Amino acid sequence: MPTTLKDLGTAKKSTWCPGCGNFGILTAIKSALVDSGLDREQAVLVSGIGCHGKMIDYLNINGFHSIHGRVLPVATGITLANPDLKVIGFSGDGDCYDEGWDHFAHAIRRNINMTLIVHNNMVFGLTTGQTTSTSQPGFKSKSTPYGSITPPINPIAHALVSNATFVARGFVGETRHLQNLMVQAIKHRGFSYIDVFQVCVSFNYINTYDWYRQRVYKLEETGYDYTDRNKALEKSFEWGDHIPIGIFYKEERPTYYDNIPQMKGVNLAKSPTEIRDISSILEEME
Ligand SMILES: Cc1ncc(C[n+]2csc(CCOP(=O)(O)OP(=O)(O)O)c2C)c(N)n1
Ligand code: SF4
Ligand SMILES: [Mg+2]
């Protein structure tokens, strides 16, 4: 049965701060799930640890609240074991671009069939606002009281050079636009990735709603062609007074699962499990 907005609500009381950008992501994903016509039972959510991780509590869909930085290994396991499921991962900038950084490149280059949404608030929110690898130069926090001295990571550029098949950026102040990006990401076969500018009203006083509103513009309104990886890379470095949001790059390519001939038509989760006696093999190896 197609999912409705009502189906997706839960009775859990939100613990996000009033005005938090996570509310925008929640609103957008709910509408995107309805728009994409996905049955609730066809989807599985995976989240990391942080304020973003509470998405699992507020969406009435089977979910796995994993450990810090490990959204991608868990999501990879689920999608390979049961390719009939649509796996959607919610990660934080700290979760994905710091603690789980190595998984990012590898899930992308393998073209794991899943969607990854990164709540990029440029701080470790849940642990009270320390600097992350996307915090802007000079950003002052408890961990960098004199201001961040290292240049931030450019996750869009990294995704592109890792051979990503779907790379986009959204902003929580543009929920309709974000919802549309999410629908396209969900429909994409392969690894679809959206970095979302998610405002943290409690700990990031630089990258506020107004800061973004004065800078973001939509790529699709400029006649931009998202099929050219080199152009996308060039765009990914645009920062400052004008910051692009929208789809940077998109292509179709076989997924990791598609490239394993032994997996063709196999659904491990639905395969019969039997206990096999392997003692003779073990004895041979002694
Ligand atoms: C392995 C491990 N390291 C560190 C922590 C502590 N920790 C919990 S939440 C968090 C910050 C999360 O930041 P981010 O991923 O950006 O999520 P946000 O809270 O900003 O949504 C950290 C460092 C942890 N729980 N587990
Ligand atoms: S600390 Fe920041 S990210 Fe976390 S709930 Fe509050 S506003 Fe949102
Ligand atoms: Mg964060």
Side-chain angles (χ1 to χ4, degrees), residues 111-259:
N111 202 24
I112 298 296
N113 188 25
M114 64 168 289
T115 295
L116 173 71
I117 295 165
V118 181
H119 302 218
N120 186 0
N121 53 16
M122 304 182 184
V123 284
F124 288 109
L126 190 70
T127 46
T128 67
Q130 296 82 357
T131 300
T132 65
S133 56
T134 52
S135 301
Q136 298 302 288
F139 180 75
K140 286 187 182 166
S141 73
K142 288 166 193 155
S143 61
T144 55
Y146 301 107
S148 175
I149 53 169
T150 43
I153 271 175
N154 181 340
I156 300 282
H158 273 281
L160 288 164
V161 297
S162 302
N163 277 310
T165 56
F166 185 109
V167 181
R169 184 194 272 146
F171 165 47
V172 289
E174 293 275 359
T175 36
R176 236 328 141 217
H177 180 256
L178 181 58
Q179 172 188 333
N180 187 27
L181 290 179
M182 287 170 170
V183 173
Q184 296 188 68
I186 290 169
K187 289 189 172 163
H188 179 75
R189 184 164 163 75
F191 193 92
S192 52
Y193 155 62
I194 311 177
D195 178 80
V196 184
F197 289 147
Q198 177 251 312
V199 177
C200 171
V201 292
S202 294
F203 298 109
N204 188 336
Y205 301 118
I206 296 177
N207 310 100
T208 60
Y209 286 100
D210 279 349
W211 190 91
Y212 287 116
R213 279 201 186 101
Q214 285 159 19
R215 290 166 174 80
V216 297
Y217 74 92
K218 295 175 185 138
L219 283 169
E220 61 274 21
E221 290 177 359
T222 63
Y224 175 77
D225 169 17
Y226 59 57
T227 63
D228 184 333
R229 195 180 290 271
N230 288 333
K231 277 224 177 69
L233 201 52
E234 205 179 293
K235 274 282 164 206
S236 74
F237 285 99
E238 199 174 337
W239 195 261
D241 291 345
H242 302 285
I243 303 176
I245 57 172
I247 299 179
F248 282 72
Y249 185 73
K250 188 174 153 169
E251 71 163 311
E252 297 292 327
R253 200 176 73 223
T255 66
Y256 187 76
Y257 177 90
D258 297 337
N259 283 331

Side-chain angles (χ1 to χ4, degrees), residues 4 30 57 59 69 81 100 105 107-108 118 138 235 241 260 269 282-283:
T4 64
K30 277 185 177 172
D57 295 341
L59 282 165
I108 287 174
V118 181
K235 274 282 164 206
D241 291 345
I260 306 175
L282 293 177
E283 274 160 25

Side-chain angles (χ1 to χ4, degrees), residues 60-80:
N60 191 14
I61 292 185
N62 286 320
F64 193 113
H65 202 155
S66 69
I67 53 173
H68 198 33
R70 305 294 176 250
V71 169
L72 292 173
V74 173
T76 298
I78 295 172
T79 188
L80 290 181

